[in-house]
Amino acid sequence: MKSDVNKSGIGPFAAFATVMGTVIGGGVFFKTASVVASTYSFGLTILVWIVSGLLTICAGLTVSELAAALPETGGPVKFLELGYGKLTGFLFGWAQSLVYTPGNVAGLCLVFGTQFVNLFHLSSGMNLMVAILCGLTILVINLLGSQLAGRVQSIALIIKLIPILIIAIVGLFIPGQVHVQLWPFTPINHANVWSAFGQGLLATMFAYDGWIGISNIAGELKNPKSDLPKAIIIGLSLVTIIYTLINFVFLKNMPINAIAGNQNTASQVASHLFGAYGGKLVTIGILVSVYGAINGYLFTGIQIPRVLGSENMIPFSKHFAKVSKNGAPYVAAIFQFVVAVLMMCSGSFDILTDMSMFIVWSFFCLLFVEVIMLRKKRPDLSRPYKVPGYPIVPLLALVGALFVLIVTIFTQTGLVIAGVILTAIGVPVYYLHQRQINK
C-alpha cells in the first residue's frame, strides 16, 4: 500500500507560513470602503468579513484535494481540462490573462496612485500618471527576472505585515470615536439585507484572494492528509481574525457614512491612532504592501499566457512563449501591462477587482463540483489528502460562491456582462486557433 507521507516534503509550519503569506495583502485596507458602501451596517460589515473567511477556508480545503491527487497537472487550468475538457481549461487561462491579472494589477495601481498623491499632497490629476508609473516599475522588475521579482516579494511580505498588525493591535485597545453596535444587521440606508450581504461578500473576496495558490503546495507536504487541513484552517482562521479586527478598528474610529466609498479610510484611521507623522509612516507601509501585492499578481500572472503559448493554445503562441535570457516571459508581461493600463484608464479599483473576482469565482464553482464529480467517476484515484467533512465542506463552498455570484448578477449586471464578454471572446479565439493548427 502506497504511503501518504512524503519524507522529502515541507512540514506543517512551512505550509502554515505559505497560507498566511499567500493570502494576506493590501486589499483589506481598501475594500472596507466598498464593503461598507454595500452593507451600511456595523454588524453586517463584521459578519461579511467572517463569513467570507469561512467560505475561503471551505474553498481552500476543497480545491486542495484536486491538487494533492493531481500534483503533476500544473494547477486549476489543467484541473478544469480534466473535468470539463480543453476549452474550459483554456477559458480559465484566458480569463486569468485578460481579466483577472490585468484587472487586479490595474485596480491596485489606481489605489497606489491615490494613496501616493494624498500622502505627498500632490494634485489629484496625477493619480493616473502615478498609477501607470507604479505598474511600469513593477513591469521592469519582472522583466529583469524572477529572482529580483522574488526578492521584492519577500521584502514586501515582511513589511506588509507591519501596518496590518500595528493597526489591528493598537487600534483594538485605544478608545474609539464611534458607538459600537453589532445588532441589528439592518443597513441604515434601508437597503435589502440579502442584497447588501451578497455585494459585501463579493467585495471581501479580493482581500482573501490568493487562497487558490494554497493548493499548489498540496503535493509538496510531508503529510498532506494531516498537515494541509491544519495549515488551511489555522492559517486562514488567523487571516480572518486579523481582517475582522482591522475592520472593527476602522468602524469604531470613523462613522459608516465617512467610510463608505472612502479609499483613504486606512490612512485617516492611522493618523488618528498614531498622529500625523505616525500615520504617514503606517501609510508608507500600506503603500509597500500594495506595491508587493501588484508585484505578486504580475509575477505569477505573466506565467499563464506563457504556458498557453508554450502549449500552442492561443494565437501568436510563439511570441507569448518567448522568454528573455534571464527567463522572463517578456511578451506576456508587456501584454498584460498594456491591458492593465487600458483598464486603469477606463475603470475604478472596485469595478476592476469585483469583475475579476466574479469571473474567477465562476470557475472556482466548477472546481468545487469537480471534486464531487471525481469522487464518483474516479474512486480509484490516489488521494493523499481528502476534504475533511466531505461532502458538506465542498457543498458549503459551492452554495456560498453561487449565492455571491447570483446576487452580483442582479445588482451589478453591467460589471457581469463586461466580464462575461471578455471571457466569452476566448471561445471563438480557441476554435479559430485550433482550426489554424489543423490546417
Side-chain angles (χ1 to χ4, degrees), residues 26 76 109 280 429:
C109 282
K280 285 185 176 181
V429 169

Side-chain angles (χ1 to χ4, degrees), residues 14-253:
F16 165 78
T18 302
V19 170
M20 294 284 287
T22 301
V23 177
I24 288 181
V28 66
F29 295 117
F30 308 107
K31 272 302 180 179
T32 296
S34 178
V35 174
V36 173
S38 298
T39 63
Y40 264 90
S41 162
F42 192 112
L44 194 58
T45 297
I46 296 299
L47 180 66
V48 159
W49 283 98
I50 294 171
V51 171
S52 188
L54 294 174
L55 176 58
T56 305
I57 291 172
C58 290
L61 289 171
T62 300
V63 176
S64 291
E65 179 171 314
L66 292 174
L70 308 162
E72 75 287 349
T73 54
V77 171
K78 296 299 180 181
F79 300 162
L80 290 166
E81 277 188 16
L82 175 66
Y84 304 98
K86 281 189 171 293
L87 175 60
T88 306
F90 166 80
L91 284 176
F92 183 66
W94 172 269
Q96 282 187 304
S97 302
L98 199 64
V99 181
Y100 176 75
T101 299
N104 287 338
V105 167
L108 285 169
C109 282
L110 288 173
V111 160
F112 184 95
T114 302
Q115 296 299 310
F116 188 92
V117 164
N118 289 336
L119 179 64
F120 295 102
H121 305 291
L122 304 175
S123 168
S124 60
M126 297 183 68
N127 284 357
L128 181 60
M129 185 183 74
V130 174
I132 293 173
L133 287 174
C134 170
L136 183 60
T137 60
I138 292 173
L139 171 66
V140 171
I141 288 171
N142 280 271
L143 290 177
L144 292 174
S146 59
Q147 286 192 342
L148 178 59
R151 288 195 198 102
V152 171
Q153 199 62 18
S154 298
I155 294 169
L157 171 60
I158 297 169
I159 295 176
K160 74 182 179 182
L161 293 174
I162 297 173
I164 289 175
L165 293 175
I166 288 176
I167 292 175
I169 296 172
V170 176
L172 192 63
F173 295 101
I174 292 180
Q177 298 180 322
V178 179
H179 175 64
V180 176
Q181 187 175 354
L182 293 173
W183 184 263
F185 289 145
T186 308
I188 61 173
N189 65 347
H190 307 296
N192 178 272
V193 174
W194 289 107
S195 176
F197 183 62
Q199 291 181 74
L201 277 178
L202 178 69
T204 60
M205 283 178 173
F206 177 74
Y208 286 101
D209 189 43
W211 65 266
I212 192 67
I214 297 166
S215 64
N216 295 334
I217 66 171
E220 306 299 324
L221 295 176
K222 288 181 179 178
N223 189 354
K225 186 175 182 180
S226 170
D227 294 342
L228 189 59
K230 289 179 183 176
I232 290 173
I233 292 171
I234 297 173
L236 290 180
S237 293
L238 285 176
V239 172
T240 302
I241 291 169
I242 292 170
Y243 281 4
T244 304
L245 287 178
I246 287 178
N247 280 273
F248 182 84
V249 170
F250 289 163
L251 288 163
K252 81 170 192 173
N253 282 283

Side-chain angles (χ1 to χ4, degrees), residues 362-405:
S362 299
F363 284 100
F364 290 161
C365 284
L366 296 179
L367 291 175
F368 303 152
V369 172
E370 186 175 353
V371 170
I372 299 171
M373 186 171 66
L374 287 180
R375 283 282 188 107
K376 295 180 178 180
K377 289 186 176 181
R378 298 281 301 275
D380 58 325
L381 185 67
S382 175
R383 293 175 173 84
Y385 158 81
K386 290 184 178 182
V387 187
Y390 178 89
I392 302 300
V393 170
L395 288 174
L396 285 174
L398 179 61
V399 171
L402 285 174
F403 169 74
V404 176
L405 296 179

Side-chain angles (χ1 to χ4, degrees), residues 167 246 249-251 253-254 259 264-274 279:
I167 292 175
I246 287 178
V249 170
F250 289 163
L251 288 163
N253 282 283
M254 288 180 67
I259 295 175
N264 297 310
T265 296
S267 59
Q268 289 173 4
V269 171
S271 295
H272 166 70
L273 294 175
F274 310 108

